[in-house]
Amino acid sequence: MANKSFSLFIFGGTGDLAKKKLFPSLSRLYSKGYLQGLDKVYSLARSKREDWEQVVCQLDRGLGKLCNFIPFDVKEWKYYSELEKLISQLKGQELIFFLSISPYLYEDTIRNLGRLLRNHPNPRKIVIEKPFGFDLKSAKKLNDLLHRYFIEEEIYRIDHFLGKDTVQNIFSLRFSNTIFEGIWNRNFIDHVQILALESVNVEGRGEFYNKVGAIRDMLQNHMLQMLAFTAMEPPAYFSEKFIRDEKVKVLRSTRIEKLKKGQYEGYLEDVGTQYSNTETFVCAKVMVENFRWYGVPFYLMTGKALKKKLTQVTVVFKEIPQSFVRLLDCKPHQNRITFQMAPQSKLTITFELRPPTGGFIACPVETSMEYTFPSEFEEAYEVLLLDVIEGDQSLFIRSDEIEALWEVVQTYLDTEDKPFIYPRGIEVPEQAVDFLQEDGIFWYLQ
Ligand SMILES: NC(=O)c1ccc[n+]([C@@H]2O[C@H](COP(=O)([O-])OP(=O)(O)OC[C@H]3O[C@@H](n4cnc5c(N)ncnc54)[C@H](OP(=O)(O)O)[C@@H]3O)[C@@H](O)[C@H]2O)c1
């Protein structure tokens, strides 16, 4: 529980992320007594949108009283001079700056904020939303700029997937249990499937999304983070440095072998353009070229405007020896461990057993055991905000890690190959089914 005194400055504190995620998360943390040291929450934006008061009024009443609005344009220095007067009064307090603004405004904000903070001894942290850069070059440039004004221990790069219970439980299940860790390698695992399917389309984000696409929006961050947790080696110690060291190491062994892009029908109308090669769907075969995973494919698939939301990692084990199959004239299913993040947060282990009726020698049937992860927190941002306040960087992305993530996808950014078109509302595009069939397998969609 954080008792030290701190103030939170949310740049873009009237926007969508602030309204939907940050304020509700802060409110829940506050009402549970986690924000003992909080002095004030400042929302900084050019205009106090009509619903900002409403958002704040809906908060826990105690927290609502700590929230203020400051008219602010991150591009203009005069606003920072005003902010400086306020900061001068917050002697000894830790200052947490959350950049919940368009990524196109990051550079100006970091430069101006860095300049302002030079005159102040207050401990400080800066939290930066995704996307962090648009490719390897711009991510490096942003890292360099940040390091001019902040040390790495003050920088929190967010990927909110890391705040999810199930993602953290991939790590816990692997490294806290001998029964699983012993078989977590190329000798037992056939392949891994990582899915992030969405039923929503680009919604109100069309203009932004059209410059970004699914590789930058999902594959480079959330999907590769799930891969890193599944494939990383155990850290030397359970500390933030060693955990992040192992993630960087596995990402540096990771390369995309092949990739296919798609776009949903009607995307151009949604975005309001006549021509675009931006992908709303991508599937990829990814290899982790190290001792543990040599020859084990990781298949990644993400897309918009599909039939249902499904986010999960499925580890598929090798088939049993064939003699048993020949004897029974039936083919047992491959064992699987599935970590589901959405629609539910749960673990499922699927295995074969003899059928409840019938003789001793019978074809086995698929059986599964499910465990739903209990959680104290409703929302990943609650976990992440608390970690920022408490100074735990384990679930945030280090500068070398963000660059390693971009390196994996770099070759596939901005290639002008035309995406295939798929109908809205289908389970999975047929091109994605073929993509796996070429390797003799199929997607697990349960
Ligand atoms: N929304 C989500 O669910 C979500 C999820 C993951 C990551 N993110 C990331 O979070 C960030 C914010 O996204 P968002 O969806 O909340 O965007 P948004 O709804 O467009 O909000 C942007 C905020 O920035 C403010 N702003 C714009 N120009 C400004 C300026 N020159 N000076 C000061 N404030 C300015 C806006 O208020 P004014 O226009 O009044 O200034 C508003 O408060 C982005 O980096 C996005 O990629 C968002």
Side-chain angles (χ1 to χ4, degrees), residues 14-17 46-47 49 73-74 100-101 106 129-130:
T14 58
D16 187 62
L17 181 72
R46 290 169 303 178
S47 59
R49 296 184 189 176
D73 188 333
V74 292
S100 181
I101 42 177
Y106 288 171
E129 259 302 333
K130 82 164 240 265

Side-chain angles (χ1 to χ4, degrees), residues 18-135:
K19 275 188 294 198
K20 287 196 191 139
K21 303 284 184 186
L22 302 183
F23 279 115
S25 298
L26 284 169
S27 182
R28 284 191 289 268
L29 287 175
Y30 188 87
S31 60
K32 288 183 200 157
Y34 280 110
L35 304 182
Q36 297 292 321
L38 178 64
D39 180 32
K40 291 272 174 352
V41 181
Y42 299 97
S43 289
L44 300 93
R46 290 169 303 178
S47 59
K48 191 180 194 172
R49 296 184 189 176
E50 277 169 25
D51 57 353
W52 185 82
E53 301 278 8
Q54 249 175 313
V55 171
V56 171
C57 290
Q58 279 166 9
L59 300 176
D60 176 289
R61 274 174 54 201
L63 178 62
K65 286 191 197 139
L66 304 183
C67 292
N68 290 298
F69 176 81
I70 303 181
F72 203 89
D73 188 333
V74 292
K75 291 198 213 162
E76 298 210 27
W77 176 248
K78 65 175 184 188
Y79 292 95
Y80 294 84
S81 320
E82 285 299 308
L83 183 60
E84 183 155 28
K85 289 181 198 153
L86 169 66
I87 287 179
S88 308
Q89 294 161 19
L90 307 177
K91 293 208 167 41
Q93 264 193 36
E94 182 168 89
L95 312 174
I96 302 179
F97 301 96
F98 195 119
L99 270 50
S100 181
I101 42 177
S102 156
Y104 297 103
L105 297 172
Y106 288 171
E107 287 193 22
D108 280 335
T109 314
I110 293 165
R111 202 172 286 112
N112 285 329
L113 196 55
R115 215 175 119 196
L116 178 155
L117 290 174
R118 275 182 175 165
N119 305 324
H120 294 277
N122 300 54
R124 75 285 311 264
K125 290 171 181 157
I126 183 163
V127 188
I128 304 167
E129 259 302 333
K130 82 164 240 265
F132 189 95
F134 295 96
D135 56 15

Side-chain angles (χ1 to χ4, degrees), residues 16 20 198-209 264 267 269-272 304-305 424:
D16 187 62
K20 287 196 191 139
E198 296 179 283
S199 53
V200 292
N201 59 14
V202 291
E203 295 180 307
R205 298 172 70 213
E207 195 189 332
F208 172 74
Y209 193 90
Y264 68 79
Y267 170 79
E269 292 88 81
D270 282 357
V271 175
K304 288 195 174 295
R424 285 173 192 251

